[in-house]
Amino acid sequence: MSQPAITREEMALIIDLHIDGERQGPGSNTDTIRALDCCDLGDRTGLTVADMGCGTGASTRVLAKKLDAQIIAIDFARPFLLKLQSRVREQALQDRVFPVCADMAKPSLPLQSLDLIWAEGAIYNIGFSAGIRAWKPLLKPRGLIAISEIGWLTNNPPQSLRKYWEDAYPEITTVSGSLEKLKAAGYRVLEHFTLSSAAWLDHYYQPMMARSEQYLGRHAASPTAQAIMAQERKEMALYEKYHDHFSYQFYVAESTHPTR
Ligand code: SAH
């Protein structure tokens, strides 16, 4: 997870830490497929889909394999998109995946052009409320969104945990708070579920920790790299201790009324 308002050096170091990961945020193919099953698009053909903040494309490749669709893979980090392209080619999916280097807050896609907008571990970068509102006009009537968003699972998270996440992401709220935001922005929620702990640990933090020694070796002279790694360790420890209180929640929802 990155922090807002970061420097160029920090961005380069964050990309270097994450580029060899299977995923750049908590998530797993099992959770991706579970959310995709909620969309019930299996028998539709010729779909147009955007994967916002796709990173190196773990979810993009699942979508490309499971759907009859063109997938527009959007990220503002070019190195991630280059890695995505090589992974997509390895699996011969290049005819279905179109990487686009853009800001997902304003991706310049045609209005009402998308059947489905996907975003895993990414929307917090532009804010959940702003994101779901900015993306709605891009959806076809009754188009779908499938978005994972961090949130509180309980009403009483410990103070230190609350402070950590409110500093990192001031918009963080409860699952019912996010459901309210979806409704207010003109979506009908079809399903929602909590990301598995394997998605956090087996597919994100543990592989990152396995790369950490080499990473710190590559950037031995960089206090910034050490600070980034310390931050990730702290975040992982918070998840291990307090996973009953917070997680990513996957929301699958349908656009209800037309956008004016
Ligand atoms: N969806 C991927 C990556 C999650 S990490 C996965 O689940 O593995 C968040 C991603 O969002 C990173 O790849 C980051 O480069 C991208 N990102 C952050 N802010 C962005 C923005 N404003 N526009 C486009 N991409 C952005």
Side-chain angles (χ1 to χ4, degrees):
M1 308 270 279
S2 57
Q3 299 290 309
I6 54 174
T7 65
R8 226 172 236 278
E9 184 212 4
E10 283 170 326
M11 179 54 93
L13 287 166
I14 288 168
I15 289 174
D16 188 52
L17 174 61
H18 289 282
I19 195 160
D20 292 324
E22 169 194 336
R23 286 177 175 261
Q24 286 69 49
S28 73
N29 288 2
T30 306
D31 289 279
T32 300
I33 290 167
R34 181 173 173 191
L36 189 53
D37 286 345
C38 299
C39 296
D40 199 18
L41 292 170
D43 54 3
R44 298 267 303 273
T45 56
L47 296 166
T48 307
V49 177
D51 188 357
M52 303 287 194
C54 58
T56 62
S59 54
T60 317
R61 281 173 285 130
V62 173
L63 299 176
K65 277 186 238 168
K66 295 263 175 197
L67 294 175
D68 181 38
Q70 300 210 319
I71 323 278
I72 304 157
I74 296 176
D75 205 285
F76 69 1
R78 216 173 275 281
F80 286 163
L81 290 177
L82 291 172
K83 176 73 84 169
L84 173 145
Q85 266 179 313
S86 74
R87 290 180 176 172
V88 157
R89 268 191 235 107
E90 277 164 22
Q91 295 182 291
L93 297 167
Q94 65 272 22
D95 293 347
R96 307 171 151 232
V97 177
F98 303 90
V100 174
C101 192
D103 181 353
M104 64 181 164
K106 30 183 169 10
S108 3
L109 296 170
L111 298 180
Q112 299 201 3
S113 62
L114 300 173
D115 296 285
L116 171 64
I117 294 178
W118 205 267
E120 287 198 44
I123 197 171
Y124 74 94
N125 286 290
I126 60 171
F128 186 69
S129 290
I132 57 177
R133 286 170 191 277
W135 295 345
K136 188 166 152 62
L138 306 177
L139 288 171
K140 292 180 186 172
R142 304 195 60 197
L144 300 176
I145 55 172
I147 297 176
S148 69
E149 163 73 344
I150 198 153
W152 302 122
L153 302 177
T154 63
N155 291 320
N156 59 339
Q159 192 50 37
S160 60
L161 178 70
R162 184 184 281 276
K163 178 163 176 16
Y164 178 85
W165 279 113
E166 284 178 353
D167 286 349
Y169 183 40
E171 197 185 326
I172 189 168
T173 183
T174 54
V175 170
S176 53
S178 296
L179 290 170
E180 280 302 313
K181 289 179 189 177
L182 284 162
K183 196 172 159 200
Y187 294 94
R188 186 170 72 87
V189 176
L190 305 178
E191 303 260 4
H192 62 101
F193 63 89
T194 304
L195 224 60
S196 62
S197 70
W200 286 82
L201 297 172
D202 302 352
H203 298 278
Y204 182 57
Y205 286 132
Q206 281 161 5
M208 189 197 314
M209 294 308 149
R211 297 191 305 273
S212 68
E213 202 176 317
Q214 282 206 332
Y215 174 75
L216 291 173
R218 276 200 301 283
H219 303 289
S222 168
T224 311
Q226 284 165 32
I228 288 170
M229 207 56 236
Q231 168 84 6
E232 298 288 1
R233 288 207 174 101
K234 180 174 177 188
E235 205 182 278
M236 178 178 170
L238 285 175
Y239 180 77
E240 286 179 319
K241 190 165 178 194
Y242 294 126
H243 55 266
D244 289 343
H245 287 284
F246 75 101
S247 186
Y248 270 94
Q249 192 78 1
F250 225 128
Y251 300 94
V252 177
E254 181 184 70
S255 168
T256 49
H257 51 75
T259 311
R260 279 171 294 250

